[in-house]
Amino acid sequence: MFGTIDKLYGGICTMKWDKYTIETTTEAEDYISCTLADLGIEGIEIEDNVPLSESDTSKMFIDILPELPPDQGIGYVSFYLEAGEDHSEKLKEVAEALEEMRSYVNIGSGKITSSETEDIDWMNNWKEFFHSFTIDDILIKPTWEELDQADQDKILIEIDPGISFGTGKHETTQLCIHQLRKYMKDGDEVLDVGCGSGILSIVSLKLGAAHLTGTDIDEDCITSTYENFEVNHLSREQGDFYVGNLIDDTGLQEKVGTEKYDVVVANILADVIIPMAPVIPARLKKDGVFITSGIIDFKENEVREAIEKAGMTVLEVTHQGEWVSITARK
């Protein structure tokens, strides 16, 4: 699916999986994760000995952190494919992508090893890693945590990602939220392309959007979005959501509408944003703003060129870690 990108990867049910682990460098972890997503691989796990930052530890409810071995710049990116199937073609694609990646980042050995997992309840076990956090004056809280008294004055977004992407924790989502906070106005019409769990839709409505329209190619994302609307005391009438690919689905383009939106936001992947760029101006009102992220830094120029070629003017490029957000105006 292309839903909201988030480093907490859901969508895996309880069953047996073949686990493939790539030995790499910490420098290349995000590049490899992005590339695996481009190849349609879900269920990605990163292991390394990089010390947690003060920001990371502030979001964890444990008193004593485990002692890690020294960080030697080595990381392991694991992905999961359904057991009992022939994965030779997919592994060949991964190996070819890793070799191509060597031209712009040090991926280390790139060795791939395999093992089989036991049945794991992925749908619930990941919850121990998702805790409340803030972006500016916005508090994003999982539904299973209590609201702290000290956070009562913040704009509250409650999220249960369920079977779709999108906790808001990943840099790309945070970049989009910062830009929505900056460019969105009360009463705006907003289109969320690749809505995922609905987090950017909900943020937009909480910030004063008059109405929200969203799309995703995965029907489960629409279900998850409406569930999160209910959790956040938003009515279904405040958002219209459609299943489909805005790039080439003319029927969906008609449903979404022409010259209707003050803001279009898309937190997807560079390789989706590039072919999508030509259809965005037709969705925007005059002077409407396109906010996009999910762009790994080495694809920044490609995405910028596609946006400019589509006739939009780039207003701002922002970075967080290895990820990029581009904001443009029609």
Side-chain angles (χ1 to χ4, degrees):
M1 70 176 132
F2 64 78
T4 304
I5 296 179
D6 211 300
K7 216 164 191 173
L8 194 51
Y9 296 88
I12 304 177
C13 302
T14 303
M15 59 189 296
K16 282 190 177 293
W17 299 87
D18 289 332
K19 177 180 179 179
Y20 297 95
T21 300
I22 303 167
E23 182 180 338
T24 185
T25 64
T26 52
E27 174 189 0
E29 288 171 346
D30 269 351
Y31 292 92
I32 291 174
S33 299
C34 185
T35 298
L36 292 175
D38 282 345
L39 293 174
I41 293 173
E42 301 173 16
I44 298 168
E45 175 184 85
I46 297 174
E47 300 173 81
D48 56 39
N49 294 328
V50 176
L52 294 171
S53 67
E54 185 177 337
S55 173
D56 292 329
T57 57
S58 69
K59 304 181 185 88
M60 301 175 69
F61 298 107
I62 54 177
D63 296 320
I64 301 174
L65 291 170
E67 288 192 15
L68 296 173
D71 173 29
Q72 297 179 329
I74 298 173
Y76 298 89
V77 180
S78 298
F79 59 95
Y80 297 82
L81 301 174
E82 190 170 337
E85 296 185 358
D86 181 6
H87 304 308
S88 56
E89 193 60 36
K90 182 62 69 176
L91 292 173
K92 181 182 176 184
E93 290 179 14
V94 172
E96 289 173 350
L98 289 173
E99 285 307 307
E100 183 180 344
M101 202 179 298
R102 289 186 188 278
S103 64
Y104 53 81
V105 66
N106 174 20
I107 70 165
S109 74
K111 180 181 178 183
I112 304 175
T113 57
S114 64
S115 60
E116 185 177 271
T117 68
E118 296 299 322
D119 289 353
I120 300 173
D121 187 5
W122 292 96
M123 295 292 286
N124 292 297
N125 288 358
W126 61 266
K127 290 182 178 181
E128 65 180 287
F129 302 106
F130 176 31
H131 301 294
S132 299
F133 64 100
T134 57
I135 302 172
D136 298 330
D137 58 345
I138 299 169
L139 173 70
I140 297 178
K141 182 183 79 65
T143 54
W144 53 89
E145 282 189 3
E146 295 295 323
L147 178 63
D148 193 301
Q149 191 67 30
D151 293 322
Q152 295 284 345
D153 60 339
K154 292 184 172 66
I155 298 171
L156 176 63
I157 312 291
E158 292 195 279
I159 288 291
D160 182 354
I163 52 178
S164 67
F165 287 105
T167 65
K169 204 72 175 285
H170 194 263
E171 292 93 331
T172 61
T173 314
Q174 295 186 32
L175 284 164
C176 283
I177 291 173
H178 283 301
Q179 297 305 92
L180 284 169
R181 198 82 179 91
K182 183 171 182 178
Y183 287 95
M184 214 198 78
K185 308 179 300 297
D186 282 349
D188 276 356
E189 285 280 340
V190 178
L191 172 63
D192 181 2
V193 184
C195 60
S197 65
I199 186 167
L200 295 178
S201 298
I202 293 166
V203 167
S204 298
L205 289 168
K206 293 273 186 170
L207 291 177
H211 187 266
L212 205 296
T213 302
T215 69
D216 203 290
I217 64 171
D218 190 333
E219 189 171 356
D220 286 336
C221 291
I222 309 300
T223 301
S224 183
T225 294
Y226 276 129
E227 288 173 352
N228 282 317
F229 262 45
E230 185 175 348
V231 167
N232 285 276
H233 311 292
L234 300 170
S235 71
R236 282 180 172 247
E237 288 70 31
Q238 290 176 268
D240 296 315
F241 293 89
Y242 305 103
V243 179
N245 189 335
L246 195 65
I247 295 171
D248 54 14
D249 187 335
T250 55
L252 178 61
Q253 291 169 11
E254 289 176 8
K255 286 180 185 176
V256 165
T258 302
E259 295 188 346
K260 180 179 177 181
Y261 301 97
D262 301 282
V263 175
V264 174
V265 60
N267 182 29
I268 311 177
L269 288 170
D271 288 343
V272 177
I273 297 166
I274 291 167
M276 182 189 294
V279 306
I280 296 300
R283 317 277 78 79
L284 285 166
K285 297 176 182 176
K286 185 176 183 292
D287 295 325
V289 172
F290 181 38
I291 297 169
T292 187
S293 191
I295 306 161
I296 198 73
D297 54 12
F298 65 88
K299 292 201 173 184
E300 175 184 331
N301 289 336
E302 287 181 65
V303 176
R304 181 176 186 136
E305 287 170 7
I307 289 172
E308 291 176 335
K309 186 177 179 181
M312 292 176 278
T313 301
V314 172
L315 299 175
E316 190 175 2
V317 179
T318 53
H319 298 80
Q320 190 170 335
E322 292 151 331
W323 298 96
V324 180
S325 171
I326 298 176
T327 302
R329 190 184 301 279
K330 177 177 174 179

